[in-house]
Amino acid sequence: MEIIKEQNIVIQNPETKDFLADAFYIKTDKKLPLVIFIHGYKGYKDWGAWNLMAEKIAEAGFYFVKFNFSYNGTTLVNPTEFDDLKAFGENNYSKELSDLGLVIDHFSKNPQVDAEKIILMGHSRGGAISIVKTCEDIRINGLITLASVDSLDRFPKDDGLEEWKKKGVYYIENARTKQEMPHYYQFYEDFKNNEHRFDVERSMEMAKAHVLIIHGTKDEGVSVKNAEHLHVLNPNSELFLIESGNHVFGAKEPWEEKFLPEDLNKVVEKCIDFLNDKIVHE
């Protein structure tokens, strides 16, 4: 089965800036359900085993898209390194939702895509962004969260917040690259100015799509309690736990194997089963 891979497609967003997207799909005369993958904090579309995940979901009969947020710190020239730390620091949730909306608009018009079947699939912070977008965009009828946070209010508190406001920036070290990643205070201001929109709990309660929540029980980055909370907020959702799974389901950067790690393979197979049951054959 031939998989067509269109990689590093330039998407132009006048509200933010140009960014890159990939599309994976099989050659067929049929229109395919659209699955859009949203990376998380300090993530990017080509991280680890995401390409292998894209191939497997495409092989199962889906039009799979992944993309870099315009302000995630990567560039059009170098989409796998954080070459633009200034942009990283200028990122915020409004920009990410704008980019995601444009990706939906762009690929839902593709003649290979069934625009009546649109699924968002978000990892970590990307899961929360996906939840918010699902609530506000009636075109989305499927939502899958992978190791998602249950709140976007993940900022310094009390003295830390005051120090951030005073200095205008704080830094977090990237454990892999050892870069000092800046966060400018505008990030918090954007959140406060749009706090109702960014309410993940409210969005999850109101989501009308079919929802699958996946989380590893030994997630070191985002506690499994986040997944359990999301499931309580939307009782019609399905909760699927990966026993002893970590935040990235056994993957790492770089991922040099030709096969998915065992836990991520379980995740992908569960996603395919869920999509076939709830979206394709509903």
Side-chain angles (χ1 to χ4, degrees):
M1 186 182 299
E2 179 187 358
I3 298 179
I4 298 170
K5 303 176 187 177
E6 298 177 11
Q7 294 176 281
N8 295 328
I9 304 161
V10 177
I11 307 292
Q12 296 178 318
N13 187 350
E15 293 183 354
T16 59
K17 60 180 183 176
D18 296 358
F19 59 94
L20 298 176
D22 301 337
F24 290 63
Y25 55 97
I26 57 173
K27 198 168 186 178
T28 177
D29 295 331
K30 297 190 300 181
K31 286 182 176 288
L32 303 172
L34 174 62
V35 178
I36 299 173
F37 177 74
I38 299 94
H39 70 73
Y41 174 59
K42 291 188 286 190
Y44 47 92
K45 67 180 178 64
D46 297 301
W47 185 91
W50 296 152
N51 278 322
L52 291 175
M53 177 179 73
E55 290 177 15
K56 183 156 184 168
I57 294 176
E59 283 176 354
F62 298 91
Y63 192 103
F64 188 93
V65 169
K66 54 189 176 69
F67 67 99
N68 282 337
F69 281 122
S70 59
Y71 279 77
N72 77 341
T74 65
T75 65
L76 300 183
V77 175
N78 194 350
T80 62
E81 301 293 338
F82 295 114
D83 277 355
D84 191 347
L85 290 180
K86 183 174 183 290
F88 183 91
E90 293 172 344
N91 193 21
N92 59 47
Y93 300 141
S94 291
K95 289 173 180 172
E96 292 193 351
L97 285 163
S98 176
D99 290 342
L100 177 53
L102 202 69
V103 169
I104 297 168
D105 292 343
H106 180 88
F107 287 100
S108 63
K109 295 172 185 173
N110 189 293
Q112 189 78 65
V113 165
D114 183 349
E116 299 297 315
K117 295 177 178 178
I118 300 176
I119 303 99
L120 300 185
M121 180 180 182
H123 177 252
S124 195
R125 190 171 93 184
I129 292 293
S130 302
I131 292 167
V132 171
K133 195 64 180 176
T134 298
C135 172
E136 64 184 26
D137 193 328
I138 61 172
R139 294 175 295 178
I140 299 161
N141 47 19
L143 169 65
I144 299 172
T145 66
L146 307 179
S148 178
V149 297
D150 61 1
S151 171
L152 287 171
D153 185 1
R154 297 174 68 83
F155 300 101
K157 307 294 183 188
D158 304 324
D159 291 346
L161 182 59
E162 283 302 311
E163 186 74 6
W164 188 17
K165 184 177 180 179
K166 180 181 174 182
K167 290 185 175 179
V169 62
Y170 81 90
Y171 296 88
I172 296 260
E173 184 183 78
N174 185 317
R176 181 177 62 86
T177 68
K178 305 306 178 186
Q179 291 169 289
E180 292 292 324
M181 315 286 281
H183 298 75
Y184 301 127
Y185 190 67
Q186 63 79 32
F187 188 12
Y188 182 71
E189 292 177 315
D190 175 68
F191 174 77
K192 294 302 290 185
N193 290 337
N194 300 278
E195 200 161 4
H196 181 71
R197 184 189 187 195
F198 300 153
D199 186 339
V200 176
E201 293 183 346
R202 178 188 68 87
S203 296
M204 193 60 160
E205 288 176 335
M206 296 179 66
K208 304 300 183 190
H210 298 291
V211 180
L212 172 62
I213 300 162
I214 301 180
H215 217 104
T217 62
K218 295 291 178 65
D219 189 326
E220 72 292 353
V222 177
S223 169
V224 68
K225 291 180 180 178
N226 286 251
E228 293 163 348
H229 183 211
L230 291 173
H231 181 48
V232 169
L233 292 168
N234 190 321
N236 291 324
S237 64
E238 181 179 353
L239 178 61
F240 184 73
L241 300 181
I242 302 292
E243 194 62 38
S244 298
N246 67 10
H247 189 57
V248 288
F249 306 104
K252 63 180 181 179
E253 173 62 27
W255 184 257
E256 296 173 342
E257 306 294 328
K258 294 181 180 180
F259 303 99
L260 285 165
E262 182 180 356
D263 283 350
L264 186 54
N265 191 58
K266 290 178 187 175
V267 167
V268 172
E269 289 182 346
K270 177 61 182 179
C271 290
I272 291 169
D273 289 345
F274 172 81
L275 293 172
N276 280 328
D277 181 41
K278 299 295 186 181
I279 305 296
V280 176
H281 304 308
E282 69 170 343

